[in-house]
Amino acid sequence: MCVILSKMNDNMNKNLPFLSLFVFFTIISCSGLGAGWSAYEAKNYDEAQRIAARQLLENPKDPEVYRLIAYTHIAKGNYPQAVSAAKLGASFSNDSLESLIALQESYKYAQDWPHFCDVTHKLFLEAPERAQDSQLLISAAVESSRRNPASAFGCYVPLVREEGALMRDEQFQSAASAYAALLAQNGNY
């Protein structure tokens, strides 16, 4: 995209000042985070990370930079680093939808199912219409419940909405009860 727009500059009519402004702002976006996402889309993950690192120097609390870092780490198989970057991005964005999606993806690839389920629950509360992969949610809930039944609750909630039969499911009831007890224990219930 940046290359195509810069070629427009060669052919544009000098009498059109608004087009000059357009090209000026395009050049700025191509040299900033937009260039990082372009490098990511081109599978040039090292370059995307270099650009993101430069952007962090300018704005160390920009959640979009942390999302780019998280996705490049996922692409490179560095899942713990992806989780760390996605957590920072979510904290700086007050858990925006985009940041929660990046965090969910990071936990999925890191196979951290309890945290995956927790973020899934937050996403469900933010955007219940967002499509979820039922099979992934069931697998994550099962894996998560092996460690702690309460941690599986967040993965069961979207499934219950889709398939009301889970309300009678024993695993769901166990997860819901454990989750309610955990909330009560922490004074959140």
Side-chain angles (χ1 to χ4, degrees), residues 84-129:
S84 295
K87 277 184 186 177
L88 281 169
S91 71
F92 291 134
S93 73
N94 295 321
D95 287 342
S96 72
L97 186 62
E98 296 84 11
S99 292
L100 287 175
I101 291 168
L103 189 55
Q104 182 191 42
E105 286 292 304
S106 298
Y107 284 135
K108 177 177 79 175
Y109 283 99
Q111 296 183 357
D112 183 342
W113 302 120
H115 287 109
F116 172 86
C117 289
D118 183 47
V119 172
T120 297
H121 190 215
K122 286 181 184 177
L123 274 169
F124 178 75
L125 295 174
E126 285 285 319
E129 72 283 352

Side-chain angles (χ1 to χ4, degrees), residues 66 69-75 78-87 102-103 105-107 109:
Y66 290 99
I69 293 169
Y71 283 118
T72 58
H73 278 303
I74 289 171
N78 302 326
Y79 306 128
Q81 294 91 333
V83 168
S84 295
K87 277 184 186 177
L103 189 55
E105 286 292 304
S106 298
Y107 284 135
Y109 283 99

Side-chain angles (χ1 to χ4, degrees), residues 110-162:
Q111 296 183 357
D112 183 342
W113 302 120
H115 287 109
F116 172 86
C117 289
D118 183 47
V119 172
T120 297
H121 190 215
K122 286 181 184 177
L123 274 169
F124 178 75
L125 295 174
E126 285 285 319
E129 72 283 352
R130 187 175 174 271
Q132 297 287 336
D133 177 0
S134 296
Q135 193 59 44
L136 175 63
L137 292 176
I138 291 168
S139 298
V142 168
E143 289 298 318
S144 186
S145 65
R146 289 181 181 161
R147 298 177 197 169
N148 177 358
S151 66
F153 182 74
C155 283
Y156 278 121
V157 171
L159 291 168
V160 170
R161 182 166 188 243
E162 286 180 19

Side-chain angles (χ1 to χ4, degrees), residues 21-115:
L21 281 174
F22 173 76
V23 172
F24 172 75
F25 287 116
T26 300
I27 291 169
I28 288 173
S29 70
C30 289
S31 64
L33 199 54
W37 283 109
S38 294
Y40 171 81
E41 289 171 9
K43 298 183 184 338
N44 189 348
Y45 306 123
D46 291 332
E47 179 63 16
Q49 286 182 329
R50 277 192 288 279
I51 292 168
R54 284 193 303 265
Q55 292 299 306
L56 278 180
L57 293 174
E58 293 177 28
N59 191 355
K61 293 185 178 182
D62 183 353
E64 184 71 15
V65 175
Y66 290 99
R67 283 195 295 276
L68 175 59
I69 293 169
Y71 283 118
T72 58
H73 278 303
I74 289 171
K76 292 172 77 174
N78 302 326
Y79 306 128
Q81 294 91 333
V83 168
S84 295
K87 277 184 186 177
L88 281 169
S91 71
F92 291 134
S93 73
N94 295 321
D95 287 342
S96 72
L97 186 62
E98 296 84 11
S99 292
L100 287 175
I101 291 168
L103 189 55
Q104 182 191 42
E105 286 292 304
S106 298
Y107 284 135
K108 177 177 79 175
Y109 283 99
Q111 296 183 357
D112 183 342
W113 302 120
H115 287 109

